[in-house]
Structures are given as structure tokens and as C-alpha cells.
Amino acid sequence: MSWEKSDKNICSGELKFYVSTQGENAAKGTFAFSGYIWESGEKPEQINYSGTMDVSFLQPWNGYYKTWVNDGSQSESGKELVIQAGKDSESSKVFYGGTEIHNFTYAVPTMTWNEGGGNDTSAVISFYGTDLPAFTGKICQKGGTLPAENNFFGTYDDKYLSEWSGYYSSMLKEETTYINGPEMILMGAVAGGDSTLYVDGKEIKNISFNNPVMSWNDEENDTNGLVIFYYSQTNKRKEFVG
């Protein structure tokens, strides 16, 4: 395949495609290319451009991400981002705050979606890291415009709700006084597992979690709630406020 800069392209190029038989690619028969690109003058004497087909797609970034959104003055917890990675866009799913993102695009390492695809937000994020995947990028609500500077950040949540498992006594504020509140029991699981929450002995349905914020709002429940977990600075115990 070849093209010329004179045809209103940013450069000239000449590529040869083939099935790689080198190293780790041999077993996969990965499609690859090598060749030349140049902006001016003659074609380079030596190959200066090569690549292999990305067969992993989103799989390196599969998992749950806790997020933060910066509004310009401070950072606040965003919604949970979930990547259910397949081998391509058709077999992959992305959720933000429990709502599926439609018509997203991905080109290593950047994912993009917009409200034109039927979403409540528009965003462009770039993934990085190996031991602990993360991303940085921009996001805006429907009807808004993406900011000039990055305002959307996330890190892989390897502990998820398991970190906050336990039995919690509570206090409820009524006007100017506090009274004993219902016991909260959380049997938290790692990302992808099944977590169970009980408040006052009743199981709570459809909880949402973006570490360290847990919330529930469903007609099947007797209550709605939002709690923020933290470790006490005095005794390092797990506590919550909400």
C-alpha cells in the first residue's frame, strides 16, 4: 500500500502487510506491516515504520475503576467505570455509573464516547500502567463541552468492596440530637464478585459503588442511602459518614 504527500496527505508512505512468524506472534499468526513514511525528500533507505495488529483490544484494561472529576477548584468522587473487555468493540461493554456507554471507540490507548451516541456524558480518556492500570482524560455532562485541561481520572480498583466488609453500628441525626441508627452489615467482594449489604436486617438491592462511596436508590428497598467509607485517624477503624 502506498500514498503520496502531493495528494494532500501529511506524508508519503509505502507499506507491506504480512503475517508475522517472529517470536511470540508466531502462535497467533498476527497481521503486521513494515515500510517507510517520509514528509519530504526521497523515500528513506531503511525501514522506519512498522506495526502489528492489536489482538488484545481493551483486554489489558478490563476491570473496575474508581474515578475522580475535577471541577476546577477541587476533585470529587466520580462514578464507577467498568470495562468488560472482549476482542473487539462488538464484544466489549463499558459502563459509567451503572449505565452502559453506547458507541464508544477505542484506539490504543484512548477511549472516546459522546452524547451523540445516546449517552449522558461525553469523554475521552487514555489508559496507562501495567501493575495498576489507570487513566486520565476529560469528561463533560450532556450539553456541555470537554474542558481544555484533563478533569477526569481513574485507577484500577483491585479491592473494591472487600476492603470495607464488616459490621457497622450507626448514629442518626434528628435535628439537634443523635439517636441509635440501624446496624449495617456489608459482605463485600472484590471487583466482579457478589457483594451483599444489609441495613437493619434487610438486604439492600442494587447497590452502586465508586470507592469509597456506596449508594443505593431502588424502589425495592425501604430506604435510600449514600455513605462514604474512611479509616479513622485516631484508631484506624473502618467508619462511614453519609
Side-chain angles (χ1 to χ4, degrees):
M1 179 176 71
S2 63
W3 64 91
E4 298 291 340
K5 185 175 182 179
S6 59
D7 292 326
K8 298 182 179 181
N9 297 310
I10 61 172
C11 65
S12 298
E14 182 180 309
L15 305 179
K16 179 181 179 181
F17 292 89
Y18 59 94
V19 178
S20 174
T21 58
Q22 301 297 318
E24 297 178 356
N25 291 330
K28 300 178 181 178
T30 303
F31 291 102
F33 71 83
S34 63
Y36 316 85
I37 58 172
W38 64 100
E39 293 186 4
S40 61
E42 300 296 325
K43 182 179 76 174
E45 294 182 358
Q46 297 183 347
I47 291 174
N48 66 350
Y49 190 44
S50 61
T52 57
M53 180 179 289
D54 178 21
V55 296
S56 63
F57 197 61
L58 274 169
Q59 292 175 15
W61 315 117
N62 187 70
Y64 291 65
Y65 292 79
K66 50 187 176 183
T67 71
W68 296 268
V69 178
N70 191 325
D71 65 0
S73 59
Q74 61 182 0
S75 292
E76 298 181 352
S77 292
K79 299 177 181 179
E80 175 187 78
L81 181 72
V82 180
I83 307 294
Q84 294 180 355
K87 62 181 181 180
D88 53 31
S89 59
E90 292 183 356
S91 59
S92 300
K93 290 188 176 182
V94 177
F95 298 86
Y96 183 56
T99 301
E100 184 173 358
I101 297 297
H102 300 287
N103 300 325
F104 69 88
T105 60
Y106 178 69
V108 180
T110 302
M111 176 186 293
T112 303
W113 70 83
N114 58 64
E115 64 181 61
N119 303 307
D120 293 330
T121 57
S122 297
V124 52
I125 59 177
S126 296
F127 293 95
Y128 63 92
T130 53
D131 294 336
L132 188 65
F135 70 81
T136 183
K138 304 172 183 179
I139 192 169
C140 68
Q141 296 299 312
K142 188 173 183 179
T145 57
L146 293 176
E149 302 293 334
N150 287 337
N151 70 332
F152 191 34
F153 311 91
T155 57
Y156 185 80
D157 189 1
D158 55 343
K159 294 182 178 180
Y160 201 60
L161 269 169
S162 65
E163 179 178 8
W164 306 109
S165 289
Y167 291 70
Y168 295 81
S169 58
S170 69
M171 300 291 291
L172 287 174
K173 185 177 182 180
E174 290 191 347
E175 296 182 353
T176 59
T177 62
Y178 286 88
I179 62 173
N180 289 328
E183 180 182 54
M184 187 176 80
I185 302 173
L186 175 61
M187 294 182 287
V190 296
D194 293 324
S195 298
T196 307
L197 173 67
Y198 295 92
V199 175
D200 201 20
K202 297 180 180 179
E203 183 176 356
I204 299 298
K205 306 293 185 180
N206 299 323
I207 59 176
S208 298
F209 185 64
N210 182 54
N211 204 353
V213 181
M214 180 177 67
S215 62
W216 60 94
N217 183 359
D218 194 290
E219 293 180 355
E220 294 187 43
N221 302 317
D222 292 335
T223 60
N224 297 323
L226 183 150
V227 299
I228 303 172
F229 294 102
Y230 64 95
Y231 286 98
S232 170
Q233 294 183 353
T234 55
N235 53 29
K236 304 304 180 183
R237 291 191 311 178
K238 292 182 285 189
E239 299 182 355
F240 72 81
V241 64

